[in-house]
Amino acid sequence: MIAVLGRALAETWRGVLVWTLALTAVMMLYLSLYPSIGLDGQMADLLSTLPSSLVNTLGFDQIATGAGYAQATFYGLLGFVLPTVAAIGWGAGAVAGAEEQGRLELDLAHAVSRAGYVTGQAVALLTRLAWLAAYTGLLMLLVSGPFELELDAANIVPQATAALGLWLFGGATALCVGSLTGRRAAAVGAGALVAAAGFLFNGVANQNDDFDVLRAFSPYSWAYHDAPLTNGWTEGLLPLWAGVTVLLAGAVVALTRRDLRG
């Protein structure tokens, strides 16, 4: 497992660096605007020009506060999309991608168990995403003062934990389906479907209380509905991380029991 983990991290550190720089640029772009539009009622004026359905779907009804603004404009949009895309790509490539390239059989022939291989890839996936979550959380804390967000430092860790779980949910789905099918396309499709459905269900639930039941099927809602950047540790983190655990365990079981493609 250690050898698999080390190689996976060594092969992807450049990609991790690119995603880190991309998130830095996005965060600076969005959050730097808050001092100019978050004061003197300008935010309310801006929201009044947007359709109410769009405001509710994107969570922009909360952006009058620094924490709500950071949640809606960064973590809720590109701060969700970019790391999720990275997670799905890494998860899909870990087993299915290696199998399609013919590398998986070669690795398993070198005294690496199937369970150890998947576990090493899962830990590598977690490590990459944990870095992105910790980095964005630290950067959020550093810019809170200069950008007048006035964030509660105690809520940075709960927010980073929620973001990490949400990103990892998509990547773990891709890893699990890739281990089950050996098909990279199926793995990417499954991860993307789960991420998109979670965002869609949350948006629909925001439109009408009658659709609140959809939140039970939305990892996005589990992570962000109770606003951890505002409220700290929330109950939604329990099903979120339970789901991640089940998916990662399922990936190990799936590859262990499946006949590899020739």
mmCIF file of all heavy atoms in Angstrom, residues 11-33:
data_model
loop_
_atom_site.group_PDB
_atom_site.id
_atom_site.type_symbol
_atom_site.label_atom_id
_atom_site.label_comp_id
_atom_site.label_asym_id
_atom_site.label_seq_id
_atom_site.Cartn_x
_atom_site.Cartn_y
_atom_site.Cartn_z
ATOM 1 N N GLU A 11 3.335 10.926 -8.998
ATOM 2 C CA GLU A 11 2.909 11.092 -10.385
ATOM 3 C C GLU A 11 1.929 12.242 -10.572
ATOM 4 O O GLU A 11 1.710 12.684 -11.703
ATOM 5 C CB GLU A 11 2.281 9.792 -10.897
ATOM 6 C CG GLU A 11 3.274 8.652 -11.077
ATOM 7 C CD GLU A 11 2.611 7.373 -11.560
ATOM 8 O OE1 GLU A 11 1.355 7.282 -11.467
ATOM 9 O OE2 GLU A 11 3.316 6.479 -12.028
ATOM 10 N N THR A 12 1.338 12.720 -9.494
ATOM 11 C CA THR A 12 0.269 13.722 -9.645
ATOM 12 C C THR A 12 0.568 15.051 -8.962
ATOM 13 O O THR A 12 -0.298 15.913 -8.915
ATOM 14 C CB THR A 12 -1.064 13.168 -9.079
ATOM 15 O OG1 THR A 12 -0.887 12.782 -7.702
ATOM 16 C CG2 THR A 12 -1.529 11.961 -9.882
ATOM 17 N N TRP A 13 1.771 15.242 -8.446
ATOM 18 C CA TRP A 13 2.030 16.472 -7.694
ATOM 19 C C TRP A 13 1.932 17.715 -8.573
ATOM 20 O O TRP A 13 1.508 18.788 -8.106
ATOM 21 C CB TRP A 13 3.395 16.408 -7.005
ATOM 22 C CG TRP A 13 4.588 16.508 -7.918
ATOM 23 C CD1 TRP A 13 5.271 15.477 -8.480
ATOM 24 C CD2 TRP A 13 5.228 17.713 -8.361
ATOM 25 N NE1 TRP A 13 6.310 15.951 -9.252
ATOM 26 C CE2 TRP A 13 6.310 17.325 -9.197
ATOM 27 C CE3 TRP A 13 5.010 19.064 -8.141
ATOM 28 C CZ2 TRP A 13 7.143 18.236 -9.813
ATOM 29 C CZ3 TRP A 13 5.846 19.994 -8.749
ATOM 30 C CH2 TRP A 13 6.903 19.568 -9.573
ATOM 31 N N ARG A 14 2.261 17.583 -9.847
ATOM 32 C CA ARG A 14 2.133 18.741 -10.734
ATOM 33 C C ARG A 14 0.672 19.121 -10.928
ATOM 34 O O ARG A 14 0.324 20.311 -10.958
ATOM 35 C CB ARG A 14 2.783 18.448 -12.092
ATOM 36 C CG ARG A 14 4.304 18.300 -12.043
ATOM 37 C CD ARG A 14 4.876 18.004 -13.421
ATOM 38 N NE ARG A 14 6.319 17.856 -13.390
ATOM 39 C CZ ARG A 14 6.946 16.729 -13.075
ATOM 40 N NH1 ARG A 14 6.260 15.650 -12.750
ATOM 41 N NH2 ARG A 14 8.272 16.676 -13.074
ATOM 42 N N GLY A 15 -0.182 18.111 -11.060
ATOM 43 C CA GLY A 15 -1.602 18.388 -11.172
ATOM 44 C C GLY A 15 -2.152 19.040 -9.921
ATOM 45 O O GLY A 15 -2.973 19.964 -9.991
ATOM 46 N N VAL A 16 -1.693 18.570 -8.769
ATOM 47 C CA VAL A 16 -2.122 19.172 -7.496
ATOM 48 C C VAL A 16 -1.707 20.640 -7.446
ATOM 49 O O VAL A 16 -2.482 21.508 -7.002
ATOM 50 C CB VAL A 16 -1.529 18.399 -6.304
ATOM 51 C CG1 VAL A 16 -1.838 19.118 -4.994
ATOM 52 C CG2 VAL A 16 -2.079 16.977 -6.261
ATOM 53 N N LEU A 17 -0.522 20.937 -7.918
ATOM 54 C CA LEU A 17 -0.038 22.317 -7.937
ATOM 55 C C LEU A 17 -0.910 23.184 -8.842
ATOM 56 O O LEU A 17 -1.259 24.327 -8.485
ATOM 57 C CB LEU A 17 1.416 22.351 -8.412
ATOM 58 C CG LEU A 17 2.056 23.740 -8.542
ATOM 59 C CD1 LEU A 17 2.042 24.473 -7.207
ATOM 60 C CD2 LEU A 17 3.474 23.625 -9.085
ATOM 61 N N VAL A 18 -1.278 22.666 -9.997
ATOM 62 C CA VAL A 18 -2.122 23.418 -10.924
ATOM 63 C C VAL A 18 -3.487 23.707 -10.293
ATOM 64 O O VAL A 18 -3.989 24.835 -10.361
ATOM 65 C CB VAL A 18 -2.298 22.652 -12.248
ATOM 66 C CG1 VAL A 18 -3.371 23.320 -13.114
ATOM 67 C CG2 VAL A 18 -0.981 22.602 -13.011
ATOM 68 N N TRP A 19 -4.090 22.693 -9.660
ATOM 69 C CA TRP A 19 -5.383 22.898 -9.018
ATOM 70 C C TRP A 19 -5.271 23.891 -7.857
ATOM 71 O O TRP A 19 -6.176 24.689 -7.613
ATOM 72 C CB TRP A 19 -5.953 21.568 -8.517
ATOM 73 C CG TRP A 19 -6.429 20.667 -9.620
ATOM 74 C CD1 TRP A 19 -5.894 19.465 -9.989
ATOM 75 C CD2 TRP A 19 -7.536 20.896 -10.499
ATOM 76 N NE1 TRP A 19 -6.594 18.924 -11.051
ATOM 77 C CE2 TRP A 19 -7.600 19.781 -11.378
ATOM 78 C CE3 TRP A 19 -8.457 21.911 -10.636
ATOM 79 C CZ2 TRP A 19 -8.578 19.680 -12.372
ATOM 80 C CZ3 TRP A 19 -9.431 21.813 -11.629
ATOM 81 C CH2 TRP A 19 -9.478 20.711 -12.485
ATOM 82 N N THR A 20 -4.156 23.855 -7.160
ATOM 83 C CA THR A 20 -3.937 24.803 -6.056
ATOM 84 C C THR A 20 -3.887 26.233 -6.577
ATOM 85 O O THR A 20 -4.516 27.141 -6.007
ATOM 86 C CB THR A 20 -2.623 24.476 -5.325
ATOM 87 O OG1 THR A 20 -2.688 23.145 -4.801
ATOM 88 C CG2 THR A 20 -2.382 25.446 -4.174
ATOM 89 N N LEU A 21 -3.165 26.449 -7.658
ATOM 90 C CA LEU A 21 -3.067 27.784 -8.242
ATOM 91 C C LEU A 21 -4.419 28.246 -8.785
ATOM 92 O O LEU A 21 -4.778 29.424 -8.662
ATOM 93 C CB LEU A 21 -2.020 27.787 -9.355
ATOM 94 C CG LEU A 21 -0.573 27.535 -8.910
ATOM 95 C CD1 LEU A 21 0.353 27.449 -10.121
ATOM 96 C CD2 LEU A 21 -0.106 28.624 -7.952
ATOM 97 N N ALA A 22 -5.164 27.312 -9.381
ATOM 98 C CA ALA A 22 -6.481 27.659 -9.915
ATOM 99 C C ALA A 22 -7.427 28.094 -8.803
ATOM 100 O O ALA A 22 -8.158 29.089 -8.932
ATOM 101 C CB ALA A 22 -7.064 26.474 -10.674
ATOM 102 N N LEU A 23 -7.426 27.374 -7.698
ATOM 103 C CA LEU A 23 -8.289 27.734 -6.570
ATOM 104 C C LEU A 23 -7.860 29.059 -5.953
ATOM 105 O O LEU A 23 -8.706 29.849 -5.505
ATOM 106 C CB LEU A 23 -8.270 26.620 -5.530
ATOM 107 C CG LEU A 23 -9.006 25.335 -5.926
ATOM 108 C CD1 LEU A 23 -8.768 24.237 -4.897
ATOM 109 C CD2 LEU A 23 -10.505 25.592 -6.072
ATOM 110 N N THR A 24 -6.566 29.301 -5.922
ATOM 111 C CA THR A 24 -6.070 30.586 -5.410
ATOM 112 C C THR A 24 -6.601 31.740 -6.254
ATOM 113 O O THR A 24 -7.092 32.747 -5.728
ATOM 114 C CB THR A 24 -4.540 30.617 -5.420
ATOM 115 O OG1 THR A 24 -4.031 29.543 -4.618
ATOM 116 C CG2 THR A 24 -4.018 31.933 -4.867
ATOM 117 N N ALA A 25 -6.524 31.586 -7.570
ATOM 118 C CA ALA A 25 -6.989 32.636 -8.466
ATOM 119 C C ALA A 25 -8.484 32.877 -8.310
ATOM 120 O O ALA A 25 -8.941 34.026 -8.258
ATOM 121 C CB ALA A 25 -6.657 32.258 -9.913
ATOM 122 N N VAL A 26 -9.247 31.794 -8.233
ATOM 123 C CA VAL A 26 -10.701 31.924 -8.103
ATOM 124 C C VAL A 26 -11.067 32.597 -6.786
ATOM 125 O O VAL A 26 -11.915 33.506 -6.736
ATOM 126 C CB VAL A 26 -11.375 30.541 -8.201
ATOM 127 C CG1 VAL A 26 -12.844 30.619 -7.811
ATOM 128 C CG2 VAL A 26 -11.237 29.989 -9.610
ATOM 129 N N MET A 27 -10.431 32.169 -5.709
ATOM 130 C CA MET A 27 -10.739 32.745 -4.402
ATOM 131 C C MET A 27 -10.411 34.233 -4.360
ATOM 132 O O MET A 27 -11.207 35.055 -3.877
ATOM 133 C CB MET A 27 -9.973 32.005 -3.301
ATOM 134 C CG MET A 27 -10.283 32.518 -1.900
ATOM 135 S SD MET A 27 -9.379 31.647 -0.590
ATOM 136 C CE MET A 27 -10.186 30.053 -0.628
ATOM 137 N N MET A 28 -9.249 34.602 -4.863
ATOM 138 C CA MET A 28 -8.858 36.005 -4.855
ATOM 139 C C MET A 28 -9.789 36.851 -5.726
ATOM 140 O O MET A 28 -10.143 37.975 -5.366
ATOM 141 C CB MET A 28 -7.415 36.145 -5.344
ATOM 142 C CG MET A 28 -6.390 35.592 -4.377
ATOM 143 S SD MET A 28 -6.465 36.432 -2.763
ATOM 144 C CE MET A 28 -5.180 35.557 -1.873
ATOM 145 N N LEU A 29 -10.204 36.299 -6.846
ATOM 146 C CA LEU A 29 -11.088 37.037 -7.746
ATOM 147 C C LEU A 29 -12.428 37.325 -7.084
ATOM 148 O O LEU A 29 -12.903 38.466 -7.063
ATOM 149 C CB LEU A 29 -11.297 36.246 -9.036
ATOM 150 C CG LEU A 29 -12.329 36.818 -10.016
ATOM 151 C CD1 LEU A 29 -11.882 38.192 -10.507
ATOM 152 C CD2 LEU A 29 -12.539 35.867 -11.182
ATOM 153 N N TYR A 30 -13.045 36.300 -6.514
ATOM 154 C CA TYR A 30 -14.369 36.465 -5.928
ATOM 155 C C TYR A 30 -14.333 37.253 -4.621
ATOM 156 O O TYR A 30 -15.106 38.198 -4.428
ATOM 157 C CB TYR A 30 -15.017 35.098 -5.675
ATOM 158 C CG TYR A 30 -15.614 34.464 -6.903
ATOM 159 C CD1 TYR A 30 -15.240 33.187 -7.307
ATOM 160 C CD2 TYR A 30 -16.581 35.129 -7.659
ATOM 161 C CE1 TYR A 30 -15.794 32.598 -8.431
ATOM 162 C CE2 TYR A 30 -17.136 34.554 -8.785
ATOM 163 C CZ TYR A 30 -16.741 33.283 -9.173
ATOM 164 O OH TYR A 30 -17.296 32.706 -10.282
ATOM 165 N N LEU A 31 -13.462 36.849 -3.714
ATOM 166 C CA LEU A 31 -13.498 37.427 -2.378
ATOM 167 C C LEU A 31 -13.011 38.867 -2.343
ATOM 168 O O LEU A 31 -13.438 39.652 -1.492
ATOM 169 C CB LEU A 31 -12.679 36.577 -1.412
ATOM 170 C CG LEU A 31 -13.133 35.117 -1.263
ATOM 171 C CD1 LEU A 31 -12.356 34.427 -0.153
ATOM 172 C CD2 LEU A 31 -14.636 35.028 -0.999
ATOM 173 N N SER A 32 -12.137 39.232 -3.255
ATOM 174 C CA SER A 32 -11.636 40.607 -3.276
ATOM 175 C C SER A 32 -12.717 41.607 -3.648
ATOM 176 O O SER A 32 -12.567 42.814 -3.419
ATOM 177 C CB SER A 32 -10.466 40.726 -4.250
ATOM 178 O OG SER A 32 -10.890 40.454 -5.579
ATOM 179 N N LEU A 33 -13.819 41.129 -4.220
ATOM 180 C CA LEU A 33 -14.907 42.020 -4.611
ATOM 181 C C LEU A 33 -15.799 42.402 -3.435
ATOM 182 O O LEU A 33 -16.556 43.373 -3.523
ATOM 183 C CB LEU A 33 -15.769 41.351 -5.696
ATOM 184 C CG LEU A 33 -15.092 41.047 -7.030
ATOM 185 C CD1 LEU A 33 -16.054 40.300 -7.942
ATOM 186 C CD2 LEU A 33 -14.604 42.322 -7.691
#
